[in-house]
Amino acid sequence: MIKKILIANRGEIACRVIKTARRMGIATVAVYSDADANALHVHKADESIHIGAAPSKESYLMADRIIDAAKKLNVDAIHPGYGFLSENAAFAEKCKQNDIIFIGPPTSAIEAMGSKSAAKHIMEKAGVPLVPGYHGNDQSESVLKKSADDMGYPVLLKAAAGGGGKGMRLVNSESEFKDALGAAKREASASFGDDTMLVEKYLTQPRHVEIQVFCDEHGNGVYLFERDCSVQRRHQKVIEEAPAPGLSDDIRQQMGEAALKAAQAINYVGAGTVEFLYDKDGSFYFMEMNTRLQVEHPVTEYITGEDLVEWQINVAQGHTLPKNQTELTMHGHAFEARIYAEDPDNDFLPSTGRLKLLQPPQEDKHVRVDTGVLEGDEVSVYYDPMIAKLVVWDEDRDKALQRLLKALREYYIDGVATNIEFLYNVAASQPFRKQELVTTFIEKNKHLLFAKEVAPDIEKLPVMAALMLLSEQQRSRKSTGDPTSPWSLPTSWRANELHEQTLTLHYAGKEFALKVSVLNDRQTGLTTNAWKVSYETSRWVVTGELVEHGLTVNLDGHRQRFTWSQQDNQFVLFAADEAYHFTHQLPDLGVEDDNNSAQGFNAPMNGTVVELLVTPNETVEKGTTLMVMEAMKMEHSIKAPATGKVTSFFYRAGELVDGGAPLLEFEEDE
Ligand code: ADP
């Protein structure tokens, strides 16, 4: 019997496993690296044990150290979560040798699915449909090319040992074959030390549909329906849902049975996922099998009402499956959105930093937030930048989608860049609402999804202006603590000052200089904040009010509500149809910085150093541009606050800099 489990993982999945174990009365042990000494999973576990330095290779991937910890603390079983050691056959074997239950499939099943080509041979024999292709041993160029010519272009070259999209190349025509093969092989050798290639027919508009399977050691197996994971960036999933929209019961059953056949072909035990490409004509093809719990398992839990971790723990101690196929039913619709610390507009570059604000939406029977971090935690360079999984459920897809949008609007994070507004734009887009799911969804709809790609909506400019002014007012009120203080008014703004001033914002890849003047009570008859805003030939009167993350504006007599969030000078305004991302363009740094403190030379946000423009120790005039940084696709000039010299630069051109980091040292002339 399992009385104590060690979770060989971190973050949200460690917390997730602990939750079920606790409910089952099982004691839990967390492991942690130097970087995670104070992490949520450590606090949630009954006991925890330090296993090494921050880099995963020196901690979460140290199989022997984890086994030693498990033995020392008399653990009965190890749950590997996903990633790290979860699909490492040698680790599973070591657990067994040490009389520790590995909560996962038998070593032989992990090994069988380890190579894409070996897995395909097994599946072919078992009669599971495969993407037409070549997965043979003869790796001569002529044989590989002939197979591509025979099946017809486009084809996809894949590394047999591959994963994470590495060693994969699309070949559109015969003439591209030779170069693509060379490139794929080089990448495969470099990444996996093995350049064995598969050639597959490239499906142009497939969906990624995967089946959750479960088997016990008594020969029983079931499938817990499917998940659609077509919305992917860099071949990685971002929004998943269950059931797959528009999938007929007939196809569902065919896929489910094919997946079970796949699992049974390798004597599978435990939770597994069989991934298929699903083509528009209704055909589906085996892609690979993941021999562990998937990140996106909560959507399956929502629609089936089952706890998959509980199933895993029970099956691992030899119990039979709690339900058979006919007892399993689906109810309603669930979505999962992966909240990442990353910058979608900068090629999804991971963002690091301290979570200054972390306010997830309220959890209830419709909303579940699986997370492994707390406000104040650091998103470090060492691990995956996933902050949380936001999971929602309702009776049908439309209702669930409304829940997802609402929950995304109510997710507030400050301190790192996040993909929240990007996820919002995906979920709010017409193609997503209309279930036009394909693995190329993001690429195909980029004009609707990325802040830098969307066409500007001029009517939103006065709303943005009101938001910037109100948020600045709120901020200065907080810092002076006195709402009646003249400093409580937005910087350089004074009540009753009627002359126009310019507010510059950057939105949809363009700069907008708005003319704004304050309207006083006498003019409007209102006591609320009111402004006249103009841009080119458009003019508006806007009044506004902020209550926490809610913004109410009255725009020329049309009262509207929005939610908003802010990170430094970047804002997101959530409207029903879209999230509007914009930046309050601040004056160049340094110019107004009269005191010669290092403050003026800090990076305005996470970004890249573009150019260093002066030579250290060379005297420069006040106002000279010292260096240029780029962040959020915008350039920022750092200028000399006075005549003096740069004594040293802390970064070189091309280097990444965290927001707030000191950039240079400047010495003012006497
Ligand atoms: P990896 O193991 O490197 O992640 P996979 O084989 O799982 O690679 O494929 C990842 C993604 O690549 C799939 O979800 C799908 O979007 C795309 N893909 C893979 N094979 C094909 C194919 N034959 N045709 C079209 N797209 C494919």
Side-chain angles (χ1 to χ4, degrees):
M1 204 181 137
I2 297 180
K3 294 195 290 292
K4 196 177 194 180
I5 292 178
L6 178 146
I7 301 107
N9 215 300
R10 63 179 300 283
E12 70 86 18
I13 194 61
C15 297
R16 160 73 194 89
V17 174
I18 290 169
K19 196 167 161 188
T20 291
R22 167 144 315 148
R23 192 170 50 68
M24 294 172 74
I26 298 171
T28 53
V29 178
V31 292
Y32 66 93
S33 69
D34 287 348
D36 280 339
N38 249 318
L40 189 60
H41 73 282
V42 172
H43 290 285
K44 294 231 159 170
D46 297 311
E47 287 172 85
S48 49
I49 189 157
H50 176 252
I51 48 162
S56 327
K57 265 201 234 145
E58 294 167 41
S59 49
Y60 298 104
L61 288 170
M62 298 282 286
D64 288 335
R65 249 186 239 172
I66 292 174
I67 303 260
D68 286 347
K71 288 202 301 204
K72 189 166 146 199
L73 297 181
N74 284 317
V75 156
D76 306 302
I78 292 184
H79 194 302
Y82 52 72
F84 296 131
L85 296 167
S86 62
E87 291 180 288
N88 184 314
F91 179 66
E93 192 54 33
K94 267 187 194 147
C95 288
K96 197 167 145 191
Q97 283 162 6
N98 285 283
D99 276 330
I100 298 166
I101 298 172
F102 176 75
I103 304 182
T107 315
S108 57
I110 303 176
E111 273 166 353
M113 290 296 124
S115 151
K116 283 187 207 283
S117 44
K120 289 205 163 170
H121 279 297
I122 298 172
M123 293 306 138
E124 193 168 41
K125 264 209 237 144
V128 177
L130 300 183
V131 187
Y134 173 81
H135 41 90
N137 290 331
D138 188 339
Q139 289 285 311
S140 62
E141 189 182 322
S142 58
V143 168
L144 294 174
K145 174 149 185 308
K146 182 165 187 315
S147 71
D149 292 345
D150 289 350
M151 75 183 90
Y153 294 87
V155 300
L156 193 64
L157 296 171
K158 273 189 193 179
K166 293 207 182 77
M168 237 202 257
R169 277 288 183 291
L170 173 62
V171 192
N172 284 302
S173 66
E174 198 185 332
S175 63
E176 291 175 11
F177 189 89
K178 195 182 158 77
D179 287 352
L181 181 67
K185 276 181 172 283
R186 278 192 302 277
E187 203 170 288
S189 293
S191 305
F192 318 108
D194 175 355
D195 68 359
T196 311
M197 286 287 142
L198 267 64
V199 188
E200 269 182 18
K201 177 81 198 152
Y202 181 72
L203 308 178
T204 46
Q205 299 285 318
R207 284 164 65 177
H208 175 119
V209 178
E210 58 183 34
I211 303 283
Q212 175 71 57
V213 294
F214 238 105
C215 301
D216 64 22
E217 57 184 53
H218 311 286
N220 306 301
V222 294
Y223 58 90
L224 290 96
F225 315 107
E226 78 284 358
R227 298 180 282 258
D228 188 306
C229 314
S230 300
V231 181
Q232 305 178 347
R233 53 124 177 77
R234 288 200 236 103
H235 300 298
Q236 268 196 311
K237 303 156 186 170
V238 269
I239 297 189
E240 303 97 338
E241 60 185 294
L247 198 76
S248 69
D249 287 342
D250 189 36
I251 302 260
R252 173 168 298 120
Q253 188 180 345
Q254 283 178 38
M255 278 181 131
E257 283 168 5
L260 264 187
K261 225 192 253 175
Q264 279 156 350
I266 53 167
N267 297 317
Y268 203 76
V269 177
T273 295
V274 183
E275 298 189 330
F276 293 101
L277 286 174
Y278 175 62
D279 211 356
K280 20 180 204 311
D281 66 1
S283 6
F284 57 87
Y285 307 101
F286 171 83
M287 206 165 23
E288 65 175 346
M289 180 167 184
N290 291 324
T291 53
R292 53 171 162 84
L293 191 68
Q294 299 273 97
V295 177
E296 59 274 20
H297 76 277
V299 292
T300 301
E301 297 189 317
Y302 250 143
I303 62 156
T304 58
E306 303 297 331
D307 179 330
L308 298 192
V309 174
E310 182 174 356
W311 280 46
Q312 281 190 300
I313 294 172
N314 283 333
V315 164
Q317 48 191 336
H319 297 181
T320 50
L321 292 177
K323 285 193 173 165
N324 64 33
Q325 196 65 53
T326 53
E327 289 168 322
L328 284 164
T329 53
M330 306 190 290
H331 182 51
H333 199 97
F335 287 102
E336 174 182 281
R338 301 190 189 188
I339 312 284
Y340 278 104
E342 66 181 16
D343 180 1
D345 279 298
N346 197 0
D347 207 15
F348 299 98
L349 191 76
S351 167
T352 53
R354 191 167 295 283
L355 294 161
K356 285 192 281 185
L357 170 76
L358 180 65
Q359 192 182 313
Q362 190 69 39
E363 286 189 274
D364 57 26
K365 74 169 183 151
H366 294 284
V367 178
R368 162 174 168 183
V369 180
D370 281 16
T371 188
V373 288
L374 290 170
E375 192 167 277
D377 280 358
E378 190 82 23
V379 178
S380 73
V381 293
Y382 299 111
Y383 313 113
D384 185 87
M386 191 168 76
I387 297 170
K389 305 185 313 202
L390 171 63
V391 198
V392 299
W393 177 91
D394 210 325
E395 294 289 334
D396 60 40
R397 189 176 191 269
D398 286 344
K399 285 185 188 155
L401 191 49
Q402 286 311 107
R403 299 260 177 213
L404 177 63
L405 290 168
K406 179 171 185 285
L408 285 168
R409 282 197 299 268
E410 292 172 358
Y411 216 126
Y412 305 111
I413 297 175
D414 188 3
V416 293
T418 76
N419 65 341
I420 293 176
E421 92 237 22
F422 174 80
L423 294 168
Y424 190 83
N425 285 347
V426 171
S429 71
Q430 281 305 318
F432 192 77
R433 283 181 199 270
K434 290 204 268 180
Q435 315 179 0
E436 291 165 11
L437 301 169
V438 278
T439 54
T440 49
F441 184 92
I442 290 176
E443 178 56 27
K444 218 173 137 183
N445 296 297
K446 59 180 185 212
H447 60 291
L448 301 171
L449 310 179
F450 294 95
K452 64 179 182 198
E453 304 265 358
V454 299
D457 174 359
I458 302 300
E459 288 297 310
K460 289 292 177 302
L461 293 173
V463 182
M464 293 172 183
L467 174 57
M468 288 190 285
L469 293 164
L470 290 164
S471 120
E472 174 64 11
Q473 204 173 61
Q474 196 178 56
R475 196 192 58 79
S476 51
R477 244 180 223 159
K478 267 191 202 138
S479 63
T480 60
D482 173 10
T484 60
S485 148
W487 301 109
S488 298
L489 294 160
T491 319
S492 77
W493 289 84
R494 299 290 177 268
N496 305 327
E497 199 164 319
L498 296 175
H499 68 267
E500 278 185 343
Q501 298 191 42
T502 304
L503 197 56
T504 308
L505 62 94
H506 198 267
Y507 155 54
K510 287 200 182 64
E511 199 172 280
F512 294 90
L514 309 182
K515 301 269 182 246
V516 183
S517 49
V518 180
L519 296 176
N520 62 24
D521 298 356
R522 261 173 301 144
Q523 285 174 301
T524 60
L526 298 167
T527 47
T528 126
N529 296 289
W531 297 277
K532 192 168 83 190
V533 180
S534 60
Y535 172 69
E536 294 183 342
T537 55
S538 309
R539 308 211 179 300
W540 305 270
V541 169
V542 58
T543 67
E545 195 187 353
L546 284 190
V547 179
E548 303 200 330
H549 287 282
L551 164 70
T552 306
V553 295
N554 188 320
L555 182 63
D556 293 330
H558 179 191
R559 206 175 130 89
Q560 308 165 59
R561 264 188 249 272
F562 300 90
T563 54
W564 63 284
S565 65
Q566 176 181 10
Q567 195 200 327
D568 300 326
N569 61 335
Q570 297 181 54
F571 292 84
V572 185
L573 179 71
F574 290 97
D577 57 336
E578 203 177 312
Y580 298 87
H581 183 274
F582 63 97
T583 310
H584 181 183
Q585 191 91 304
L586 300 170
D588 278 339
L589 288 173
V591 187
E592 282 142 29
D593 191 10
D594 287 338
N595 65 12
N596 186 19
S597 74
Q599 282 309 99
F601 305 112
N602 290 6
M605 57 191 85
N606 289 1
T608 316
V609 173
V610 178
E611 221 179 340
L612 307 179
L613 291 166
V614 299
T615 315
N617 297 319
E618 178 188 273
T619 302
V620 296
E621 299 282 302
K622 174 176 174 165
T624 307
T625 302
L626 306 173
M627 71 189 282
V628 179
M629 260 196 78
E630 192 219 68
M632 310 299 288
K633 301 273 166 213
M634 283 162 49
E635 292 201 344
H636 300 264
S637 304
I638 315 295
K639 298 193 176 186
T643 303
K645 52 184 180 282
V646 173
T647 48
S648 75
F649 283 111
F650 302 140
Y651 295 90
R652 279 182 303 224
E655 283 186 325
L656 288 173
V657 184
D658 281 342
L663 296 168
L664 56 89
E665 206 166 70
F666 189 83
E667 209 177 271
E668 214 175 301
D669 273 3
E670 289 305 316

